[in-house]
Amino acid sequence: MNTGLMFSKACARIGLHVFDYIEYPSLIKGGHNTYVVRAEDEEIHSQVANTDILIALDEPTIRIHRDELSGNSVVIYDEQQVHENVAKEIPCHRVPLPMKEILQEAHGKELMANTVCLGAALGLMEYPLDTFTGVIRDAFRGKTGEIIEENIKAARLGYDHARKHHAMLNEFHLHPIDAPKRMVLTGNEALALGAIQGGLKFYSAYPMTPASSILHTLAALQERHDIVVKHAEDEISVANMAVGAGFAGVRSMCATSGGGFALMNETVSLAGITETPVVFVEVNRGGPGTGIPTFTEQSDLKFVLNAGHGEFPLFVLTPGDVEEAYAFAWEALNLAEQYQTPIIIYSDKYLAESHKTAELFDTNVPIDRGKLLRNAPDKYLRYTITEDGVSPRTIPGVPNGFFLANSDEHDYFGYSTEEIDLRNAMMEKRMRKIEAYRKVMAQPKLHGPEDAKLTIIGWGSTKGPILDALKHLWREGYRVNYLQLTHIQPFPIEAVSQRLDAAEQTLIIENNFTGQMEQVIREQTGRTIQHHMRRYDGRPFFFSDICTRVKTIMGGAQ
Amino acid sequence: MITREQLTSPNKPTWCPGCGDYGIWLAVKNALMQLDLKHEEACLIYGIGCHGHMCNFLHAYGFEGLHGRPIPVAEGVKMANRKLKVIVVAGDGDTYGEGLNHFISGIRGNHDITLIVHDNRVYGLTTGQTSPTSGKGYKSKSTPQGVIEVPVNPMALAIAAGGTYVARGFSADPQLLTDLIKGGIDHPGFSVIDVLQNCITFNHVNTVLWFKEHSYHLAEEGHDPKDRVKAFERALDEERLGLGLFYVSKRGTYDASLSAEEVPLVDHDLSKVDIRESMELFT
């Protein structure tokens, strides 16, 4: 994994745009792991199906990925690991490395074969050696000087060997280009950074793929940013701790995947009735049950939209790339306090764990704590009826700001009640938040021309492949646009209805079996969508498949 | 100091006449009044059950959450604002049934909260089913043939899990209970106070008289609460139930072990957050 990220960072440091995609089985060691790095000199948002350079750390890799190779591709491998007969059938350039000898020379361990191969690949691509050394130093930050030097030496030997014996890859030469400084980071990492910049103070979680790297990122940064990161005993505790921290007055968030979120559901509802600000992050993986835990899916959509028993305001944000993961994290923390209700950021493995290059994020983000009171007015009552449904909120410790946050229906102070008028007043007050938010909420994003022959509808991580598909389709003259749903609950009924009415043809793309967003759109707008592309095998869409589908639908009608 | 008047809510208790909840309510109020606390410094977190109705009969900062889950809410509150005195009012079903995982984990973490468990060995609010502390063979609506399981032993569990303040009170002895609660609130760490109480409506086995006949005061028998092995031995005796402090020890609290807590989280200045250096880690 680390080697792949080093390659991505190496590309980013010379000004290239990078997208990488990781596929791995639910195992600690072994199994077939793939790390696909795509680098271009223009912005890219998804992986591709063909492979130019294949680094095969074992023999099966060559067999599994053979169909991705073309005549110009290169396969780098350890000549001792790959049988001659298999090597013979490689349909393109072969770069066998005498790994044993190289490692002996580097006094390195077997593990460093990765670094040697990476060195070889970069050597073939004429990558600047100094920059590469810097990448290695940063990747092994915190390790001993000896380990760093050993790796640099191993990389250098691979680099030199490849250049000496195989300098024939002109089309893949990597030369530095002028570009602003860019990060290489995943959706989870971007989300964690956005939350920190948005004033996150308390984060709780129980490890669950593919949400765990939010926990790891925040845990690694907790001292630097004075955050409490709590790995609790189970997801129920996680959710209740987050609610407790939100009630006590700090910005609080927790994250999990579908199974863990099922355990958190009762607490989502608790936050709704107690009007406690808290952010839940649901990172979808392939279900049901344990499903395909390390693969992607958008199958929890309706589960997320309907999270928690009973009725209460629940807003749902669906970031589509790392920039949105960053921005929606701080936005969600604001919304939670502005509307005093649970907010869900709903993402998936593809966004959560794929790296993308992004320019340094804007750190000048607004922090709006809504109607938070640090001093209580006379005769303060926490659940006072208001027009927008949001009541001024104190926190424990504020003199004379007393209240009871009560999961039972309650009166203006918070004491339990079952009285009809109060029940209605409180239900109506809470539900008014939805209409208040609807007036100001972010609308779906339209990518591409206003008037198009075909409108693609999508949400979440399908944004990457769709954007890449659009670029190719536009170049070929197809008039296509893309309606990206980002803030999906409350549902942007008018905006979506208008767009669908204006579209000649419509195509919805989602990573699930039943077309959940298609159903939601029908329920919310009364409109049907003509075509759909669905995938439920755990893999993300390829932009090339989207292009093919669009062309099939549109025929010659460009 | 907190006054009785300050704690008085406009609501009158709705518990059955003769319910053990009255004695516990009294002891909670007395403890709050006798400690040197500001009214706004106390934060009570309630579970769900008859005991949880106390939230309506006490005027203070409070949170009534979900059945079984008051402990993690309280831990979240304490981690967010360590200046508060956080007190959990829970039931035997909350703590030893639905929320047993939180009980053990909270003790292990030594979160600085005080847990008061209403232990009447029956589910009252749901009208008389067996509880995790009901005796073996206890007949109830959910176990008409008698409970098959052996009961949870809260004191032994708490001591084994690493409890630093493990005590048992009795609803009919509010003076002892007041002292135990005060001691628990003052104790830096997770304080467990299991409170034996009667359910006058649904538990006709474990009555006030029964508890009196089956209990004794640990202090009167010279128990040394610093002796963990002796404390465990006494906790294992389920025929004669010890009352008072079983075990007390010192261990760093969870919040005191967190680097971010030098200033309580709630007082951090959010306008000073700056991730620019952290972003460099990703370049």
Side-chain angles (χ1 to χ4, degrees):
Chain A
M1 294 284 173
N2 203 24
T3 316
L5 182 56
M6 281 202 286
F7 191 86
S8 287
K9 285 200 172 178
C11 294
R13 288 209 184 163
I14 57 165
L16 293 175
H17 291 268
V18 173
F19 181 90
D20 73 34
Y21 168 68
I22 306 165
E23 227 172 65
Y24 58 102
S26 189
L27 292 171
I28 297 172
K29 271 177 95 92
H32 183 68
N33 292 259
T34 332
Y35 198 116
V36 183
V37 181
R38 180 182 170 210
E40 303 249 359
D41 49 14
E42 56 180 21
E43 191 174 13
I44 46 172
H45 309 87
S46 64
Q47 78 295 347
V48 286
N50 58 306
T51 300
D52 294 320
I53 297 174
L54 176 67
I55 297 179
L57 296 173
D58 59 14
E59 194 178 89
T61 299
I62 294 174
R63 206 181 59 242
I64 294 169
H65 294 276
R66 236 188 91 146
D67 291 347
E68 298 162 13
L69 302 168
S70 64
N72 287 328
S73 302
V74 182
V75 180
I76 300 170
Y77 58 97
D78 173 359
E79 61 184 16
Q80 280 113 18
Q81 289 279 330
V82 176
H83 193 273
E84 209 179 312
N85 292 338
V86 177
K88 243 192 273 172
E89 288 180 14
I90 292 173
C92 54
H93 302 296
R94 287 189 289 263
V95 180
L97 297 174
M99 191 62 74
K100 208 170 157 189
E101 289 75 13
I102 292 178
L103 286 177
Q104 261 166 9
E105 201 183 331
H107 308 292
K109 296 158 196 73
E110 222 175 292
L111 207 62
M112 278 165 39
N114 298 8
T115 314
V116 175
C117 289
L118 181 62
L122 292 173
L124 293 173
M125 290 184 268
E126 304 244 314
Y127 186 89
L129 192 63
D130 286 352
T131 316
F132 180 37
T133 314
V135 170
I136 296 177
R137 284 188 199 285
D138 287 349
F140 290 93
R141 201 177 343 216
K143 298 273 198 279
T144 62
E146 202 184 344
I147 292 179
I148 295 172
E149 291 315 314
E150 276 176 4
N151 273 281
I152 289 176
K153 189 164 183 198
R156 179 70 195 263
L157 288 166
Y159 188 94
D160 289 343
H161 179 92
R163 277 168 53 110
K164 194 168 161 196
H165 300 281
H166 305 273
M168 73 299 202
L169 296 170
N170 293 329
E171 65 269 43
F172 300 136
H173 281 183
L174 294 178
H175 298 299
I177 51 176
D178 258 351
K181 182 185 258 187
R182 295 196 187 102
M183 298 177 283
V184 177
L185 81 177
T186 64
N188 276 354
E189 289 165 342
L191 192 150
L193 288 174
I196 297 171
Q197 192 60 58
L200 180 75
K201 283 287 131 191
F202 182 83
Y203 179 78
S204 49
Y206 187 87
M208 185 169 193
T209 305
S212 302
S213 57
I214 302 174
L215 171 63
H216 305 159
T217 307
L218 288 170
L221 295 174
Q222 64 179 333
E223 274 189 76
R224 192 191 277 243
H225 295 291
D226 288 331
I227 298 167
V228 170
V229 175
K230 174 66 183 149
H231 168 175
E233 63 271 24
D234 58 37
E235 284 89 347
I236 297 174
S237 184
V238 162
N240 280 280
M241 280 183 187
V243 164
F247 157 74
V250 303
R251 295 199 149 192
S252 117
M253 183 172 92
C254 58
T256 184
S257 188
F261 191 62
L263 294 175
M264 293 183 177
N265 257 248
E266 190 184 17
T267 313
V268 177
S269 172
L270 171 70
I273 192 165
T274 56
E275 306 193 40
T276 304
V278 60
V279 175
F280 294 87
V281 182
E282 215 266 41
V283 189
N284 209 151
R285 67 192 209 183
T290 305
I292 36 175
T294 57
F295 289 84
T296 202
E297 205 162 75
Q298 296 182 310
S299 54
D300 295 343
L301 173 68
K302 294 221 281 186
F303 174 52
V304 165
L305 295 178
N306 294 292
H309 55 291
E311 296 170 302
F312 57 92
L314 177 66
F315 305 156
V316 181
L317 281 56
T318 52
D321 55 23
V322 293
E323 284 86 354
E324 286 170 356
Y326 174 78
F328 289 11
W330 60 257
E331 183 186 355
L333 289 166
N334 278 343
L335 289 174
E337 288 207 299
Q338 287 166 331
Y339 294 93
Q340 299 174 12
T341 207
I343 311 293
I344 300 178
I345 302 173
Y346 173 39
S347 132
D348 62 40
K349 184 262 175 180
Y350 181 46
L351 169 60
E353 294 192 348
S354 302
H355 294 85
K356 184 183 169 297
T357 33
E359 286 180 34
L360 298 176
F361 297 131
D362 181 5
T363 54
N364 187 21
V365 310
I367 290 187
D368 181 351
R369 306 208 61 182
K371 298 182 187 176
L372 177 66
L373 300 174
R374 291 304 190 128
N375 291 294
D378 274 355
K379 294 180 184 165
Y380 170 74
L381 285 168
R382 167 72 180 89
Y383 298 102
T384 300
I385 302 297
T386 60
E387 206 176 315
D388 61 2
V390 184
S391 317
R393 173 175 80 107
T394 59
I395 52 173
V398 172
N400 298 313
F402 301 102
F403 72 98
L404 173 66
N406 193 341
S407 76
D408 279 294
E409 190 56 278
H410 41 261
D411 66 11
Y412 310 113
F413 179 87
Y415 291 130
S416 307
T417 185
E418 286 158 1
E419 202 258 310
I420 293 175
D421 289 345
L422 263 176
R423 160 65 171 179
N424 285 340
M426 285 298 158
M427 270 302 282
E428 288 155 16
K429 174 185 111 70
R430 287 191 295 268
M431 299 308 274
R432 273 201 299 279
K433 295 177 190 177
I434 298 173
E435 291 319 309
Y437 172 57
R438 202 192 280 280
K439 286 183 198 138
V440 296
M441 70 183 278
Q443 294 300 304
K445 292 183 189 173
L446 186 75
H447 302 264
E450 278 285 331
D451 60 325
K453 301 257 183 208
L454 177 102
T455 296
I456 298 174
I457 299 116
W459 50 281
S461 70
T462 54
K463 180 180 184 182
I466 295 174
L467 286 183
D468 282 345
L470 287 179
K471 199 162 61 185
H472 284 80
L473 289 163
W474 291 339
R475 277 177 195 159
E476 293 178 44
Y478 287 89
R479 285 196 73 78
V480 186
N481 60 16
Y482 158 43
L483 185 67
Q484 184 203 356
L485 307 179
T486 57
H487 295 64
I488 59 170
Q489 187 155 283
F491 193 80
I493 298 172
E494 271 185 44
V496 173
S497 300
Q498 281 170 10
R499 230 7 105 188
L500 293 180
D501 290 346
E504 274 183 39
Q505 301 231 62
T506 49
L507 165 67
I508 186 162
I509 298 178
E510 25 185 345
N511 267 114
N512 58 49
F513 187 92
T514 52
Q516 295 187 25
M517 183 58 90
E518 193 179 335
Q519 293 178 38
V520 170
I521 290 173
R522 191 155 55 216
E523 176 191 319
Q524 294 284 342
T525 69
R527 272 110 173 138
T528 52
I529 292 171
Q530 292 156 297
H531 307 280
H532 62 245
M533 263 184 99
R534 296 177 192 163
R535 201 166 177 166
Y536 41 86
D537 56 5
R539 274 69 176 176
F541 288 95
F542 284 91
F543 76 79
S544 48
D545 292 339
I546 297 173
C547 289
T548 307
R549 182 63 194 276
V550 167
K551 289 175 191 170
T552 309
I553 294 169
M554 295 178 78
Q558 297 186 359
Chain B
M1 298 286 266
I2 303 172
T3 64
R4 187 170 301 278
E5 199 182 18
Q6 286 175 322
L7 291 177
T8 302
S9 111
N11 308 301
K12 296 277 164 283
T14 49
W15 296 307
C16 307
C19 176
D21 285 358
Y22 287 96
I24 304 175
W25 178 51
L26 183 72
V28 169
K29 284 195 291 188
N30 286 344
L32 289 173
M33 291 187 301
Q34 289 171 25
L35 288 167
D36 186 21
L37 287 181
K38 288 186 187 145
H39 192 192
E40 62 272 15
E41 284 172 347
C43 188
L44 291 103
I45 315 297
Y46 306 88
I48 296 288
C50 290
H51 71 274
H53 290 167
M54 192 192 292
C55 70
N56 296 312
F57 317 138
L58 217 152
H59 181 258
Y61 277 108
F63 189 106
E64 191 195 35
L66 302 169
H67 181 62
R69 316 300 170 199
I71 291 172
V73 171
E75 291 165 352
V77 170
K78 185 68 185 183
M79 284 187 270
N81 186 355
R82 60 188 297 221
K83 290 175 298 186
L84 299 172
K85 294 289 184 187
V86 182
I87 299 147
V88 178
V89 174
D92 44 9
D94 264 330
T95 311
Y96 310 131
E98 191 111 340
L100 190 63
N101 197 8
H102 312 313
F103 177 70
I104 300 294
S105 299
I107 291 171
R108 286 176 51 227
N110 207 29
H111 293 266
D112 186 13
I113 62 177
T114 301
L115 169 68
I116 302 165
V117 187
H118 292 58
D119 184 1
N120 59 7
R121 305 185 168 200
V122 73
Y123 281 30
L125 191 61
T126 50
T127 70
Q129 301 84 3
T130 190
S131 130
T133 49
S134 302
K136 186 166 170 62
Y138 179 79
K139 290 186 175 166
S140 71
K141 274 186 187 163
S142 58
T143 55
Q145 298 182 337
V147 176
I148 294 167
E149 297 95 330
V150 296
V152 162
N153 183 328
M155 297 293 93
L157 269 184
I159 295 166
T164 55
Y165 184 99
V166 182
R168 182 150 57 202
F170 180 25
S171 62
D173 187 350
Q175 187 53 55
L176 171 71
L177 184 54
T178 302
D179 290 342
L180 291 175
I181 295 172
K182 276 162 63 185
I185 294 172
D186 274 340
H187 173 74
F190 197 103
S191 306
V192 179
I193 305 161
D194 181 71
V195 188
L196 303 176
Q197 70 158 116
N198 63 308
C199 172
I200 199 152
T201 305
F202 292 109
N203 190 335
H204 303 299
V205 177
N206 308 110
T207 61
V208 171
L209 191 63
W210 186 93
F211 280 124
K212 278 189 176 158
E213 285 169 359
H214 289 79
S215 64
Y216 69 99
H217 286 85
L218 292 163
E220 287 171 10
E221 297 194 2
H223 172 62
D224 173 13
K226 293 199 172 78
D227 187 332
R228 191 166 182 233
V229 173
K230 283 271 157 49
F232 195 72
E233 210 170 278
R234 287 186 183 271
L236 290 180
D237 186 350
E238 294 176 359
E239 298 301 313
R240 288 180 75 243
L241 302 166
L243 296 176
L245 190 57
F246 277 79
Y247 182 63
V248 65
S249 67
K250 272 190 191 157
R251 177 152 62 92
T253 65
Y254 197 91
D255 56 280
S257 313
L258 295 165
S259 61
E261 294 272 11
E262 222 162 278
V263 175
L265 297 189
V266 77
D267 294 329
H268 289 202
D269 182 356
L270 302 189
S271 67
K272 294 221 170 82
V273 181
D274 188 346
I275 60 157
R276 275 176 296 183
E277 271 186 41
S278 296
M279 284 194 287
E280 294 295 332
L281 298 170
F282 297 95
T283 58

